[in-house]
Amino acid sequence: MKEDIYNLKVTIGRKLKFFRQSRSLTQNELAEAINERMGTSYSGNAVSSWEMGKNSMAIELLVVIASILDVDIQAFEAKSGQGDHDHIPLFDHYEKLTLRERESVQAYINFLVWRRKHGSEDLIS
């Protein structure tokens, strides 16, 4: 049980870091946005501790963060089984990319989402 909670905190933390960086936000900027919405006084250090899985957060806070980062709350869900472990290396690789490379990845993801939305899945195979 304790290990499951730790793994959940780490998974949510990695996803939080991925989404924050993909929006080109610093930890301090995210903390400021949270504080504006919630009337709290979180710091960049709090964001860092969530990203490293050191501290957990209330679900209400996670909902606010998802809104700020413009992601569905379910994006933070931990998948059960092997599938979730397959995605973790993607986050590790993304962290090593330059800002320009990250922008290219985000542009490609936006294109794929657009393509799916418009039913044009056969444009690129």
Side-chain angles (χ1 to χ4, degrees):
M1 173 79 165
K2 200 172 194 177
E3 184 179 327
D4 291 337
I5 292 171
Y6 173 77
N7 289 337
L8 180 61
K9 289 192 303 185
V10 169
T11 299
I12 289 172
R14 284 184 170 210
K15 291 178 180 185
L16 171 60
K17 184 174 184 177
F18 173 79
F19 294 131
R20 176 185 59 77
Q21 289 181 332
S22 70
R23 286 5 175 229
S24 300
L25 289 174
T26 66
Q27 292 172 336
N28 286 330
E29 289 168 337
L30 178 57
E32 289 172 12
I34 294 167
N35 294 336
E36 286 177 19
R37 293 212 186 170
M38 297 184 71
T40 52
S41 58
Y42 290 108
S43 67
N45 289 336
V47 175
S48 175
S49 71
W50 300 327
E51 289 180 352
M52 292 187 295
K54 289 183 176 181
N55 291 322
S56 58
M57 64 185 87
I59 189 67
E60 295 84 1
L61 177 56
L62 191 57
V63 169
V64 169
I65 290 171
S67 174
I68 291 168
L69 298 175
D70 195 28
V71 296
D72 190 295
I73 187 70
Q74 293 178 338
F76 289 99
E77 237 178 56
K79 308 282 189 249
S80 58
Q82 183 63 27
D84 190 45
H85 299 292
D86 293 340
H87 298 292
I88 298 300
L90 176 62
F91 295 122
D92 293 337
H93 293 298
Y94 186 85
E95 293 172 359
K96 296 174 186 168
L97 297 177
T98 65
L99 179 59
R100 185 175 182 127
E101 291 167 335
R102 289 179 187 180
E103 289 170 349
S104 295
V105 168
Q106 187 61 49
Y108 185 66
I109 290 170
N110 290 340
F111 167 72
L112 293 174
V113 170
W114 176 89
R115 188 176 74 175
R116 178 179 292 168
K117 188 179 201 178
H118 291 85
S120 306
E121 292 185 19
D122 60 344
L123 289 177
I124 295 180
S125 301

